[in-house]
Amino acid sequence: MERSSLIVAFGEMLIDFVPTVGGLSLADAPAFKKAPGGAPANVAVAVSRLGGHSAFIGKVGEDEFGYMLAEILKQNKVEDRGMRFDPHARTALAFVTLKEDGEREFMFYRNPSADMLLRPDELDEELISKASVLHYGSISLISEPCRSAHLAAMDVASKAGVLLSYDPNLRLPLWPSAEEARKGILSIWDRADLIKVSEEELQFLTGKDPFSDEAALSVWHSNLKLLLVTEGHRGCRYYTSDFHGRVDGIKVQAVDTTGAGDAFVGGLLSQLVGDLSLYKDEQRLRAALKFANACGAITTTERGAIPALPDRDTVLRLIGTLFLSFPVVTNKLTQTRSPNLGYPGRLRGPTSRAGDLKITSTRELFQQRESNHMITMLQL
C-alpha cells in the first residue's frame, strides 16, 4: 500500500453484545447479538468497506473472541499486521443497552482487557510511518501501558508527517472520574490535525451550549485544520481557519446508533485521504460531509457496528435518492439535484412525491428508489 492511500486506526477492538429487543434494561433483554466493535476498528473497517486502504493497530486476547476479531479484519480486507495477541488477558466485551430511539449505553468487561496492555515496543512503526492518516480515540489513554503506546504512535506519525485524526469517543464508565476523562481527552487535543466530537462530548468538555459556535470555537487550536461537531440525525457542523457551516443529516428510522459516528469518520477519511487539502475547499468539504452523513445514517438502520457499516455503492445509492433531476456543476464533474430539494430528507422528483423520506430498511429503500434518474453520481 502506498502512503498516499493508507489510513491506520489505533486503539481498541472488542465484542459488542447488542440486545435483540430495544428499550429494555440489560437484565430484561431476552437475548443478545454478538457483534465485533471498538471505535478505531470500526473506522478501519468502514474505510475498507468504502473501497479504501486501512490498517488496524491494537491488542486482543489470545482467545476465541480475539481470533474471531482478527478474522473479521481479514474478511474486510483491513491490514492486520499491527494486531497483537495477549496470552494472559481476555478480549474486551461490552454489553449495550438500546433505547427506543436507538441510542445506547454501555457496560464494559475489561479489567484489564488485552487492549489496555499494548506496549510501545509492540508498535509496528513502519506501518504508521507510511500512512497518510493515523486515527485514534481516547480510550487508549486511560491506563498504562497502552497510554504510552498511544503517545508513541502519535510521535512516530508526527515525525513522518502523517495527519493526526482524533475522535475522543467518550465512554465515562471507563474513566476513574469525569474530571480524569476531561483531562485525559484534552491532554492530546492540541496535537490533532482533525478532530471530530459529538455535541454531547463538546458540552462535556466545555460546559457550554454544544449547538453554539462559541462552544466549538472555544476548543479550536492553532494546529487544527478541521473541527467537526456531529449532531446525530441533525447532521454536522464544520470549522476551518477560513470558514464554517453545517451539513444537514439524512432522516432514517434508527435501530441502533452504535458505530454511526465511526461510519461518519470512516466516510470522511475515505474522501480526505485522496487529497489532504480537501478541507480548504468548502464546496468539496460539504460534499465529503454529505457522504459521511450518509455513511452514519445507513449504519443506524441495523444492529451492531461493523455488521452495519455500508459499502460505497450503498452510500452513493442513498445519496442518489436525495440528489436528482437537474445538473449542478461542481469542480470535478456534473452531478444531479432536484430543483425542489430543500433540506436532506426532503425529496421531490419525477419518481417521488414531496415529503419526509423515511427509511425503514436500506435494502427496501434501494428496491423502491431504483430509477433511470439515478444517473451520474458525485465522485468525491
Side-chain angles (χ1 to χ4, degrees):
M1 286 183 278
E2 297 179 359
R3 170 174 169 168
S4 61
S5 66
L6 177 62
I7 296 170
V8 173
F10 173 94
E12 69 279 0
M13 189 173 192
L14 47 83
I15 303 291
D16 288 326
F17 285 91
V18 184
T20 56
V21 178
L24 298 176
S25 67
L26 289 178
D28 293 331
F32 294 86
K33 174 185 176 182
K34 178 181 62 181
N42 294 343
V43 171
V45 174
V47 169
S48 183
R49 288 260 180 96
L50 294 168
H53 299 294
S54 64
F56 174 74
I57 293 178
K59 202 171 193 180
V60 294
E62 196 174 279
D63 53 36
E64 289 299 317
F65 284 142
Y67 295 137
M68 185 195 90
L69 293 176
E71 184 61 27
I72 291 291
L73 292 181
K74 292 177 182 178
Q75 290 173 359
N76 285 279
K77 300 179 181 179
V78 175
E79 173 63 61
D80 66 346
R81 60 181 261 192
M83 195 172 193
R84 303 291 180 258
F85 295 84
D86 195 300
H88 306 298
R90 298 296 189 186
T91 300
L93 307 178
F95 284 82
V96 185
T97 302
L98 292 181
K99 300 178 182 178
E100 291 291 352
D101 61 359
E103 288 297 330
R104 70 270 189 251
E105 296 176 351
F106 295 87
M107 183 169 70
F108 295 92
Y109 286 79
R110 59 191 302 269
N111 195 29
S113 54
D115 61 289
M116 303 166 67
L117 303 177
L118 182 68
R119 304 187 308 271
D121 63 289
E122 294 180 300
L123 291 175
D124 188 329
E125 295 188 2
E126 180 186 3
L127 185 64
I128 298 171
S129 296
K130 72 177 185 179
S132 181
V133 177
L134 175 68
H135 177 76
Y136 48 84
S138 68
I139 290 176
S140 45
L141 296 171
I142 295 175
S143 60
E144 293 290 356
C146 192
R147 175 180 169 81
S148 292
H150 184 141
L151 297 176
M154 290 177 62
D155 288 341
V156 171
S158 294
K159 290 176 182 177
V162 177
L163 184 141
L164 300 181
S165 168
Y166 185 23
D167 177 1
N169 193 42
L170 176 65
R171 295 288 181 265
L172 267 179
L174 296 179
W175 292 86
S177 68
E179 185 54 39
E180 284 295 314
R182 191 176 294 105
K183 180 180 177 181
I185 289 171
L186 294 176
S187 68
I188 58 170
W189 192 267
D190 290 350
R191 297 185 60 183
D193 299 295
L194 183 158
I195 296 176
K196 173 261 176 191
V197 290
S198 68
E199 80 272 21
E200 296 95 343
E201 290 165 342
L202 185 60
Q203 183 174 42
F204 173 78
L205 293 172
T206 67
K208 300 177 180 179
D209 176 5
F211 298 102
S212 69
D213 291 336
E214 179 188 4
L217 294 175
S218 71
V219 295
W220 181 267
H221 65 80
S222 59
N223 297 322
L224 195 55
K225 296 177 174 63
L226 176 62
L227 172 65
L228 300 168
V229 181
T230 55
E231 301 177 354
H233 68 276
R234 291 179 293 273
C236 66
R237 307 199 309 272
Y238 57 88
Y239 300 84
T240 74
S241 58
D242 297 319
F243 52 79
H244 68 274
R246 68 173 295 111
V247 176
D248 290 296
I250 299 171
K251 182 181 291 186
V252 299
Q253 185 172 324
V255 174
D256 178 9
T257 60
T258 306
D262 306 323
F264 173 91
V265 171
L268 176 64
L269 293 182
S270 72
Q271 307 307 305
L272 182 64
V273 73
D275 180 3
L276 295 179
S277 66
L278 180 150
Y279 69 91
K280 296 180 181 179
D281 183 324
E282 187 169 13
Q283 182 181 15
R284 293 175 60 216
L285 175 60
R286 290 181 62 85
L289 291 173
K290 171 60 67 178
F291 184 90
N293 279 345
C295 291
I298 292 169
T299 301
T300 70
T301 63
E302 296 184 34
R303 295 184 189 276
I306 287 178
L309 295 170
D311 60 24
R312 183 175 176 82
D313 287 345
T314 302
V315 177
L316 291 179
R317 281 182 160 184
L318 175 56
I319 294 175
T321 66
L322 302 174
F323 291 77
L324 304 173
S325 298
F326 76 89
V328 175
V329 177
T330 71
N331 63 332
K332 283 194 171 184
L333 49 85
T334 299
Q335 68 183 54
T336 60
R337 180 176 294 179
S338 166
N340 297 316
L341 184 65
Y343 295 98
R346 301 286 296 182
L347 178 65
R348 266 185 205 182
T351 61
S352 301
R353 293 179 299 174
D356 289 334
L357 176 62
K358 293 187 177 180
I359 303 166
T360 58
S361 162
T362 53
R363 293 181 181 86
E364 178 184 344
L365 168 72
F366 303 146
Q367 290 171 355
Q368 294 175 349
R369 299 292 183 179
E370 285 286 353
S371 75
N372 293 332
H373 296 280
M374 197 173 293
I375 55 178
T376 309
M377 298 301 301
L378 177 61
Q379 303 297 311
L380 298 174

